[in-house]
Amino acid sequence: MASNALAQIDWSAWTGLEPIPLGLLSDGDPATADLRLEGVLGSGGAYAYGLQLTAGLEYRFGTTAADDGFAELALLVDPDDGGVLWGNAAALGALGFDSEAAGAQAAQPVAVDADDQLVLLVAATLERDGGGPVDPGVPGGPFLLEAHADVPPQPEFTDNAVYRFVKLSNGMYFYTASEAERALIETSYPDLRFEGPVFVGDDMPREGWVPVYRFANLVNGSYFYTADLAERDTIIETRADLRFEGEAFWVPGEPAENTLPVYKLINLDTGGYLFTSNPVEKLYALLQGGWQDEGIAFQSLVPQPAAPAPSESGPLGETGLDEAQPLGPDADASGTETMAQTSTDTALLDGQTEPPEVVLIGQASPEPDLAVDGTGL
């Protein structure tokens, strides 16, 4: 049976029905039918049409019931094994689908992995004995079937901020690119404080991108993220204390002109992890002590700059501000300060010998909360 078949019929029962070869080519307009079949089925009658389906196209089929109440049965069948790849609601109902499932499946498009020769069957009844219908008296009637062959719509990718939360009870960080998950946490988990966007990825896969996998530490309540498939497998096999929570978000698979690295730091006191694309935040953490640099974890897209707000001082370049200013440890991915800071970033970058007094947001407490509920939050 075809791997994506909905059902299977005994195609040998239809050996006496010779398929009529037809072409089904796309006209480039999804709104118009590329093939229209209209005719009349006699009592117990049937027609078969041979169609070549091409990989990379998406095919949609539909029938229109006649006013006299006759409902033809239409199936798209693989003659090699009798696998049914599509059927209208009447035909799927005859194959045992309930009315809701039959209607839903009938509306689904069909795609093939490789070019394939299939048969479109239109019949008054599916009951056959090889030589013809079991009951030749089943009434027929007019039928109308339309087919579309179109290039499937491409997903509209939208860059997603990856948001950071800090767990107030133990200082551990949590990251998500899901707006739904972010909203759930903000409304249902008061122990998790929202710290804003920290780098840019996507909440769905893209070509050339890789998933970032999430693990929940059942001992110290922290979260670990990795885009390394081998590391993921090793953790699953050897670390019973780390619960695998699947794909958290997706990021570019390789460095490029429009990417920047996301750094991984581990807190040597608590075992918690900090992930940041902000080199200044990374530097502050290391200067505080207690944090160890573990290199680049994965890549982030370069954040797109927000449109500047109108200013009475004139257009950008006439205000006396530098064109680019470094992000502080409390700045989000767009450069907006989200937390109060006791000193500016530039003071350290200008050669200050003593680091400014800074409290890194999310600094772990000496006694982490060991309780982790079923959501990993």
Side-chain angles (χ1 to χ4, degrees):
M1 183 188 299
S3 60
N4 56 345
L6 305 175
Q8 190 173 25
I9 64 173
D10 180 8
W11 186 247
S12 65
W14 300 85
T15 54
L17 190 63
E18 187 67 25
I20 303 169
L22 293 176
L24 180 51
L25 302 175
S26 175
D27 65 0
D29 185 357
T32 61
D34 298 302
L35 178 65
R36 180 184 174 95
L37 300 174
E38 188 171 6
V40 177
L41 289 167
S43 296
Y47 290 103
Y49 303 95
L51 298 177
Q52 175 80 21
L53 268 61
T54 303
L57 292 181
E58 187 175 81
Y59 296 88
R60 293 176 290 125
F61 301 89
T63 56
T64 303
D67 294 338
D68 59 6
F70 170 72
E72 68 273 26
L73 310 177
L75 296 174
L76 183 67
V77 182
D78 184 342
D80 293 335
D81 57 17
V84 175
L85 280 72
W86 172 85
N88 68 353
L92 294 177
L95 292 177
F97 286 70
D98 64 50
S99 59
E100 183 176 352
Q105 289 292 345
Q108 294 299 310
V110 176
V112 293
D113 296 331
D115 294 358
D116 203 358
Q117 187 72 33
L118 303 176
V119 175
L120 185 60
L121 175 68
V122 183
T125 176
L126 298 181
E127 298 294 329
R128 304 281 290 188
D129 62 5
V134 171
D135 181 4
V138 175
F143 69 88
L144 173 62
L145 185 148
E146 292 185 339
H148 300 250
D150 299 296
V151 176
Q154 298 301 309
E156 296 183 4
F157 293 115
T158 303
D159 296 344
N160 293 102
V162 177
Y163 301 106
R164 185 168 73 197
F165 290 82
V166 61
K167 198 168 186 179
L168 300 178
S169 59
N170 62 13
M172 302 303 185
Y173 292 114
F174 179 84
Y175 300 82
T176 182
S178 167
E179 293 289 348
E181 188 170 44
R182 170 193 168 181
L184 175 65
I185 293 171
E186 288 186 304
T187 57
S188 305
Y189 293 87
D191 190 35
L192 286 166
R193 182 181 66 200
F194 181 61
E195 291 200 333
V198 288
F199 45 89
V200 182
D202 203 340
D203 59 357
M204 62 185 296
R206 300 190 196 183
E207 184 176 355
W209 286 40
V210 295
V212 175
Y213 304 101
R214 184 170 75 204
F215 291 85
N217 190 310
L218 303 179
V219 177
N220 64 14
S222 68
Y223 298 90
F224 179 75
Y225 298 79
T226 181
D228 186 320
L229 192 59
E231 185 175 41
R232 181 204 70 173
D233 293 343
T234 299
I235 292 174
I236 291 174
E237 293 173 2
T238 64
R239 294 289 301 273
D241 59 320
L242 293 178
R243 180 182 63 208
F244 181 54
E245 296 195 337
E247 298 158 339
F249 46 87
W250 282 260
V251 294
E254 299 291 340
E257 292 183 358
N258 65 335
T259 67
L260 48 82
V262 175
Y263 306 102
K264 178 174 67 175
L265 293 85
I266 183 172
N267 189 300
L268 300 177
D269 296 324
T270 67
Y273 285 90
L274 170 68
F275 294 86
T276 180
S277 62
N278 185 342
V280 178
E281 181 176 50
K282 170 189 170 183
L283 180 60
Y284 271 114
L286 295 174
L287 288 172
Q288 277 204 157
W291 290 92
Q292 176 177 293
D293 184 2
E294 294 203 338
I296 295 172
F298 42 81
Q299 298 294 313
S300 163
L301 283 182
V302 174
Q304 295 300 313
S311 169
E312 295 181 359
S313 301
L316 188 64
E318 297 179 10
T319 61
L321 298 176
D322 295 335
E323 291 187 9
Q325 298 185 23
L327 299 177
D330 298 322
D332 63 23
S334 64
T336 303
E337 292 289 331
T338 57
M339 302 290 176
Q341 189 56 266
T342 59
S343 179
T344 65
D345 304 329
T346 52
L348 179 63
L349 297 179
D350 287 341
Q352 181 173 326
T353 56
E354 294 292 329
E357 181 182 355
V358 173
V359 176
L360 183 68
I361 300 305
Q363 178 72 26
S365 62
E367 298 181 358
D369 180 5
L370 302 183
V372 179
D373 62 26
T375 65
L377 301 175

